[in-house]
Amino acid sequence: MRLEKLLNTFKQIFDQIPESDGRAKIGPRQFVIALIFSLANMDSRKRTIECLRRAVMESLGEKISRGGFWERIATERLFGFVLILVQSAIQQMGDIFVPGSQLRQLAAVLNVKGILVLDSTSISLPAMAGAIFPGPRNNVAPAVIKWHNCFDLFGGCIKWFDLSPGTSHDNNHFPDLKLIVGYLVIFDLGYFDYALMQAIANVGGKFLSRVKTNAVIRIENVIQGLPKKFIGKKLMSSRLPKGIAVIEIIGSFCDELFQFRVVGFWNPIDKSYHWYVTNLTVSAKMIYPLYRLRWAVELFFKMAKSSWRLAEITSANHNIIQTLVLASMVVTILSQPLAFQLAALRFKDEEHPQLPTIQRAGVVISHASATLKDFLSTQGKAAKIKLKALLKLFTDELFDPNRNRDSSFQRVFREAGILV
């Protein structure tokens, strides 16, 4: 998809919000666009409502009273508008990027359609918000909202999300299994659950997770790395030989109810094994590089918190909190497909192994936020021409300048036998 078509898709997403409704001088669409793209341009380190109001006024060139601004952003109606944007962006951005040949080869090696990574991040709130979004520790984090996120590594966009109080366990927030059919989903120990892993396998999905240190795993068969005498013993409590580079077994979980492949890698720094459980059938050496790809979702969260001030919510109002989280989410959803498209234009054969970094995609769209806001707010061609020129100017900034340093994807490609 060319940049022109992608930008038109952005515009179609925002055009779902009414241009005017007769309730205020500033129409809903104009107000929402100004709100979202003012998040990176506030005149303070803290995302206070007053700083945001000033940034929105500057963006619109219109005066908005303190009471009038608070009344607009505190309404469930505004939250509904921003929610529409997030849901539409997730749906449309998921089909934007067509993987190049290397990603298609990797999918074939793994026998999956793509790779999803699942994680959550906690966003601290003022203590007054503890009644609606209680935190896990009253003395340290009395109020917290959690953003649960399923991120598509091949498309560079969110595939699913959920919001919850900080006290809610990650395991209670997992996307519908229909969403992950045919995909490899990588998650951390917060989602570690035997029944969940079996359910993923039952619907035709693949999974990869670290193993909890207190997991009870009976060694049913040894594939490599251990003498056969260990069959029948408990993996985590056995005194295993030290220093074996790779150990691979078939283990039974939950009183032999489930059987999965378990791979361990010796870590010479902490002198212990790091264990992973999966139903993938690829080489054991690919498991660790694949799991490292999970770090992409952490970078995605970091980008949202730094470039779009997600970690600085100062309000205790339920609608304002959720609206600002979703507003930050809108831009993060748009940033990576935009970066991928700019990369495709720069490397026209789409074979270049260096993919845009998540952090740099956030920086680029942050710098282009004012021009992107003008494009989305107007119908003129001049705004689009200016935006395209600015984005192309920043294209080189999307890539890590240290080309000699392997990316996580390059390590996976190499282990998969894909030339890079």
Side-chain angles (χ1 to χ4, degrees), residues 284-396:
K285 290 184 178 181
M286 279 191 66
I287 298 301
Y288 176 66
L290 277 171
Y291 187 78
R292 281 178 56 90
L293 295 179
R294 195 192 66 81
W295 186 243
V297 73
E298 300 287 356
L299 297 177
F300 189 82
F301 286 140
K302 186 175 181 180
M303 183 258 285
K305 288 183 175 182
S306 59
S307 296
W308 298 95
R309 317 283 279 275
L310 182 59
E312 300 164 359
I313 297 175
T314 60
S315 175
N317 179 275
H318 182 271
N319 286 327
I320 292 177
I321 291 169
Q322 294 193 111
T323 296
L324 293 182
V325 173
L326 292 182
S328 300
M329 206 181 298
V330 171
V331 192
T332 55
I333 293 170
L334 301 182
S335 63
Q336 200 66 10
L338 181 60
F340 273 51
Q341 187 54 47
L342 290 171
L345 291 175
R346 190 183 189 287
F347 304 107
K348 296 186 184 302
D349 58 3
E350 299 188 12
E351 300 299 321
H352 196 277
Q354 194 178 21
L355 298 174
T357 67
I358 291 173
Q359 311 98 302
R360 289 171 175 270
V363 170
V364 168
I365 201 170
S366 177
H367 280 289
S369 60
T371 310
L372 183 54
K373 184 267 297 181
D374 292 340
F375 162 70
L376 295 170
S377 301
T378 65
Q379 301 295 328
K381 292 184 179 179
K384 181 186 289 187
I385 293 172
K386 183 179 179 182
L387 175 60
K388 290 169 70 174
L390 182 62
L391 290 172
K392 290 178 180 178
L393 180 67
F394 279 100
T395 298
D396 286 344

Side-chain angles (χ1 to χ4, degrees), residues 118-119 169-174 185-198 200 207-217 235-236 251-254 258 260-263 275-278 291 294:
L118 186 67
D119 205 352
H169 196 279
D170 287 348
N171 208 18
N172 297 322
H173 301 272
F174 198 88
V185 57
I186 304 173
F187 47 83
D188 69 0
L189 295 177
Y191 303 89
F192 187 85
D193 180 81
Y194 310 136
L196 174 62
M197 292 185 287
Q198 187 62 54
I200 294 172
F207 65 85
L208 174 58
S209 170
R210 285 286 299 271
V211 175
K212 285 188 174 181
T213 55
N214 63 350
V216 180
I217 306 172
L235 176 67
M236 307 303 282
S252 61
F253 295 72
C254 198
F258 308 117
F260 302 119
R261 181 187 183 199
V262 180
V263 180
W275 298 100
Y276 302 84
V277 57
T278 185
Y291 187 78
R294 195 192 66 81

Side-chain angles (χ1 to χ4, degrees), residues 14 17-35 72 77-78 81-82 85:
F14 281 86
I17 300 177
E19 185 174 5
S20 62
D21 59 4
R23 298 189 181 191
K25 179 181 177 181
I26 303 171
R29 186 191 306 165
Q30 191 179 15
F31 183 84
V32 169
I33 292 172
L35 176 71
R72 288 196 74 158
R77 188 166 182 265
L78 181 65
F81 285 147
V82 183
L85 293 180

